[in-house]
Amino acid sequence: MGPRKEIQKKRRHDGEGSSRRNEPCHPLASWFNNPQAFETFITKWEKRKFVTPRYITYDFIVEHNYRNLTRIIEQQGFGTLVTMTNAYYPDLVSACTSHLKYSASNEGGYVECYVAGRYRVIPLDAIANLCGLSMEGHRFMGGIHAHESWGPYALQRGLNAIGYNDPIGKRQRPSVNKLSTEMRILHYLITYTLLPRGGNHGILQHDDILLMWAMLEGHKICWPFIMVQNMLKLQGRESKAIGYGPVWTRIFEYLTIGLDGYRKVEIGEDNCINERTLKKMQRQLEQQGQGVDEVEEEVDRMEQKDQGHQQPQAQATMLDLVQEMRSMNENLQAFQLETRGQYQTMNTRIRRVERSVRAIHDHLGIHYEDVDEDEDRRPR
């Protein structure tokens, strides 16, 4: 029998095949029950934008004598929700919302998810109590009536009810700038706190109009239900922003979850609907060409700076300016201004932006062949 052949084991190089236990652990890894749910959170939820809620004070409402707003808040019962100022934890909210589930029951329904590594069932009426809400009212699903008792409804009827009396073109979306200050504040509360969403808050969506009409008509809405439905809509829509931060903070406290060490966002004076908000609304009304002044300020700022060492950033900004200029030209073609004087003012501003863009082109030595400089294409 020949000599026994020595079996040599392959030596592992440093770092090769090392255990995952030696890798740094994600601070929220323990909040998930399986790797797939955690991977979904990392790839689709961790970097999502968050909607910071707006809040209002009763003193502000009383001072300005907003009677309709006072009546709506009392009838709907969301006074506590729209005055919340407690801090929130965006990472924890994203983790829970990423795998949230809702189940109906005779007791009003409940939501379920893993919180801090444990399976939790949260009754809908518990969320209502934490936010000072009522479980009574119609369960609005969005886009349709919640109950036949709401009566007949049409978009134009809703617009008339909220004070939007201007005609709307086929491609034109109604703007909040046409509403009264009181209705604009109500729209603020809907899009930032009650049904928070990202994107352009200056546009009246169909559900916004329907909800505002229903509240003005005195129809009671089950807000805990509609809030949970709004959370569930985020799943599968990666571009949607997350909301309800202060609501989740109260849920975490209700579940006795330790919050120390997690990223916290405070709600401050900048998030309050106050006199500064009213001044901002007034400035927007005075600007006949929406968005033009902001572009002009950016151009003036760039012209005053030495851009020798900032050419890449300047090029990116220039592309944004060109795109903005084209968008304004398209808006001019689709929208007929009420008076000739308004058109001349906007046209003058656009020409000023074009001259500034060409000046910066010359300064940077950049040539964009796709910039349309044909004066004849503008509407007369």
Side-chain angles (χ1 to χ4, degrees):
M1 185 174 178
R4 185 175 181 179
K5 186 176 181 181
E6 183 178 359
I7 302 176
Q8 295 182 356
K9 294 183 179 180
K10 183 179 180 181
R11 178 175 296 179
R12 187 176 64 190
H13 297 284
D14 293 340
E16 182 182 44
S18 58
S19 173
R20 287 180 175 264
R21 290 177 295 180
N22 296 330
E23 299 178 0
C25 182
H26 193 283
L28 295 180
S30 61
W31 280 59
F32 297 86
N33 65 321
N34 62 73
Q36 184 178 359
F38 178 61
E39 184 67 22
T40 300
F41 166 73
I42 293 296
T43 57
K44 298 183 179 181
W45 289 82
E46 190 176 26
K47 301 301 182 181
R48 282 204 193 185
K49 294 181 180 180
F50 217 95
V51 181
T52 303
R54 301 290 181 91
Y55 70 94
I56 197 169
T57 63
Y58 282 107
D59 292 340
F60 176 78
I61 297 175
V62 173
E63 178 183 354
H64 292 274
N65 195 26
Y66 292 142
R67 296 181 180 180
N68 283 329
L69 190 58
T70 302
R71 177 176 60 85
I72 288 173
I73 292 177
E74 291 177 353
Q75 288 180 348
Q76 299 297 325
F78 51 62
T80 301
L81 181 61
V82 298
T83 56
M84 283 186 183
T85 58
N86 52 282
Y88 63 93
Y89 301 80
D91 298 333
L92 305 186
V93 175
S94 301
C96 293
T97 310
S98 66
H99 60 277
L100 187 71
K101 295 181 180 180
Y102 169 78
S103 298
S105 67
N106 296 332
E107 291 76 21
Y110 58 90
V111 295
E112 48 188 333
C113 65
Y114 277 83
V115 181
R118 292 180 56 188
Y119 174 76
R120 307 278 186 159
V121 175
I122 310 166
L124 218 59
D125 57 359
I127 298 178
N129 293 332
L130 293 173
C131 301
L133 300 170
S134 171
M135 289 294 294
E136 299 178 355
H138 302 311
R139 300 200 164 193
F140 177 76
M141 294 295 293
I144 57 175
H145 296 7
H147 197 269
E148 60 182 6
S149 63
W150 284 25
Y153 171 81
L155 177 61
Q156 191 58 50
R157 181 178 182 181
L159 290 171
N160 293 337
I162 65 178
Y164 193 106
N165 299 317
D166 289 2
I168 301 177
K170 293 183 179 179
R171 297 185 179 181
Q172 183 184 358
R173 293 183 295 177
S175 169
V176 296
N177 291 335
K178 300 294 184 178
L179 299 178
S180 65
T181 302
E182 188 173 14
M183 289 296 99
R184 289 193 66 178
I185 292 175
L186 178 59
H187 187 261
Y188 260 56
L189 295 176
I190 291 175
T191 57
Y192 281 97
T193 304
L194 297 173
L195 297 176
R197 67 167 186 257
N200 189 353
H201 291 83
I203 298 298
L204 284 166
Q205 296 186 0
H206 183 273
D207 285 351
D208 301 339
I209 301 170
L210 178 55
L211 278 175
M212 294 171 72
W213 168 82
M215 288 188 281
L216 287 170
E217 291 290 318
H219 301 305
K220 191 74 170 65
I221 298 171
C222 181
W223 288 103
F225 175 81
I226 190 176
M227 289 164 57
V228 170
Q229 295 301 316
N230 200 44
M231 296 179 192
L232 295 175
K233 288 180 181 178
L234 301 177
Q235 299 177 359
R237 301 182 180 181
E238 299 181 28
S239 60
K240 299 295 182 180
I242 306 172
Y244 301 112
V247 174
W248 275 102
T249 299
R250 298 197 175 193
I251 294 175
F252 295 145
E253 293 172 351
Y254 165 77
L255 298 174
T256 65
I257 302 299
L259 301 175
D260 294 337
Y262 295 106
R263 183 166 65 96
K264 180 171 67 172
V265 177
E266 300 284 351
I267 298 180
E269 188 70 18
D270 293 340
N271 308 115
C272 180
I273 299 176
N274 50 24
E275 298 294 339
R276 183 170 51 185
T277 309
L278 299 183
K279 292 180 180 179
K280 179 181 177 181
M281 291 180 181
Q282 185 61 34
R283 287 197 303 268
Q284 291 175 348
L285 289 176
E286 292 173 352
Q287 293 175 1
Q288 299 173 354
Q290 291 298 319
V292 177
D293 290 346
E294 289 78 4
V295 177
E296 291 180 344
E297 291 174 2
E298 181 67 15
V299 171
D300 292 340
R301 183 185 65 81
M302 291 177 60
E303 289 180 339
Q304 295 173 3
K305 294 181 64 175
D306 180 15
Q307 302 179 16
H309 61 288
Q310 297 181 350
Q311 185 166 340
Q313 294 86 344
Q315 291 177 354
T317 306
M318 289 305 308
L319 289 173
D320 294 338
L321 289 174
V322 171
Q323 185 176 2
E324 181 71 22
M325 183 180 63
R326 287 177 174 171
S327 177
M328 288 187 292
N329 282 328
E330 292 175 359
N331 290 337
L332 278 174
Q333 296 175 2
F335 180 69
Q336 295 181 352
L337 296 174
E338 297 177 359
T339 65
R340 181 67 178 177
Q342 289 178 332
Y343 164 72
Q344 291 176 348
T345 301
M346 180 175 288
N347 197 26
T348 301
R349 291 181 176 179
I350 293 177
R351 292 192 180 191
R352 180 187 171 193
V353 173
E354 289 178 340
R355 290 195 299 269
S356 301
V357 168
R358 286 196 293 268
I360 297 178
H361 283 175
D362 297 339
H363 179 73
L364 297 176
I366 304 172
H367 301 283
Y368 294 104
E369 296 179 356
D370 56 345
V371 176
D372 187 4
E373 298 180 352
D374 189 356
E375 299 289 343
D376 296 333
R377 291 191 178 182
R378 291 202 190 89
R380 299 295 182 185

